[in-house]
Amino acid sequence: MLYFTFVVRSKSNAIITLTEGDKNEWNFANKTFVIPNIITEISNKISSCSNKKVISVGRLTYQKGFERLISVWKEVNKKYPDWSLSIYGTGEEERALRNQIKESRLENVITINPPTPDIYTKMQESSILVFPSRYEGFGLVLIEAMINGVPCISFDCPYGPSDIIDNGNDGYLIPNDNIQKMVDKICYLIENEEIRKEMGKKARKSAMRYAPENIMPLWDKLFNEIVNQ
């Protein structure tokens, strides 16, 4: 690590991070910049936020926290058994997650599906995206959902969600591992369709800041600064 620090200080013109949280981790280095990921696909179609469907997307690993989401949904299902949760992903936790679903008697309302190249359509068919990760490098799935007009509810994990979601405006940030508060916010959006739809519209507008025409100028500015040094 000391060698790496020496290389950063003596050889690098700049360090680029995806989030403000990551930038703070590099506070020992000069000239650290935040340039987030680009959303490369922008569909003209968006969710109506009227279907009784919730979606979650990611690798089925400990990091992604899907066992927490299943615990959340067990409580949501008690109040809203007509709503369903679709998880898209694969990974080493799949068997354990399927067993948890079975033990919770949620087989009729939670499905685990393989990754699909048509994930935008699946998002457009959903009314809420839930993001249960314990930690992240960024959280591109959040932007993908938002660009499709889907409001997101995410644990406020390090790092990414707090950079992407404007809490209470275009989605909700939940204190990390606060299962009950996650349940409450999902139920709140289920119960308030107009708020859900309005939040989806705001999410779409907010996600446009990750469009290429807004991110590429940040790279141009950085490279020009480096060249002019």
Side-chain angles (χ1 to χ4, degrees), residues 48-63:
S48 66
C49 292
S50 58
N51 293 330
K52 295 181 178 182
K53 296 181 179 180
V54 173
I55 190 171
S56 192
V57 182
R59 299 186 314 278
L60 306 183
T61 63
Y62 174 81
Q63 172 196 344

Side-chain angles (χ1 to χ4, degrees), residues 132-209:
S133 290
R134 288 183 165 87
Y135 54 92
E136 280 293 335
F138 182 63
L140 187 60
V141 165
L142 292 172
I143 300 174
E144 291 175 332
M146 292 168 70
I147 206 70
N148 285 290
V150 180
C152 298
I153 302 176
S154 171
F155 283 125
D156 189 10
C157 66
Y159 296 110
S162 62
D163 284 41
I164 297 169
I165 295 174
D166 182 3
N167 187 37
N169 182 50
D170 54 29
Y172 290 111
L173 294 170
I174 308 300
N176 209 357
D177 211 32
N178 191 326
I179 299 296
Q180 186 56 53
K181 192 158 188 179
M182 177 74 84
V183 171
D184 293 343
K185 287 302 182 184
I186 292 173
C187 289
Y188 178 78
L189 284 190
I190 287 175
E191 293 163 1
N192 294 276
E193 183 174 357
E194 291 307 313
I195 292 175
R196 189 172 73 235
K197 290 181 176 181
E198 183 62 26
M199 193 168 274
K201 292 176 183 177
K202 291 179 179 178
R204 165 79 171 193
K205 183 178 180 179
S206 176
M208 291 300 293
R209 71 188 190 272

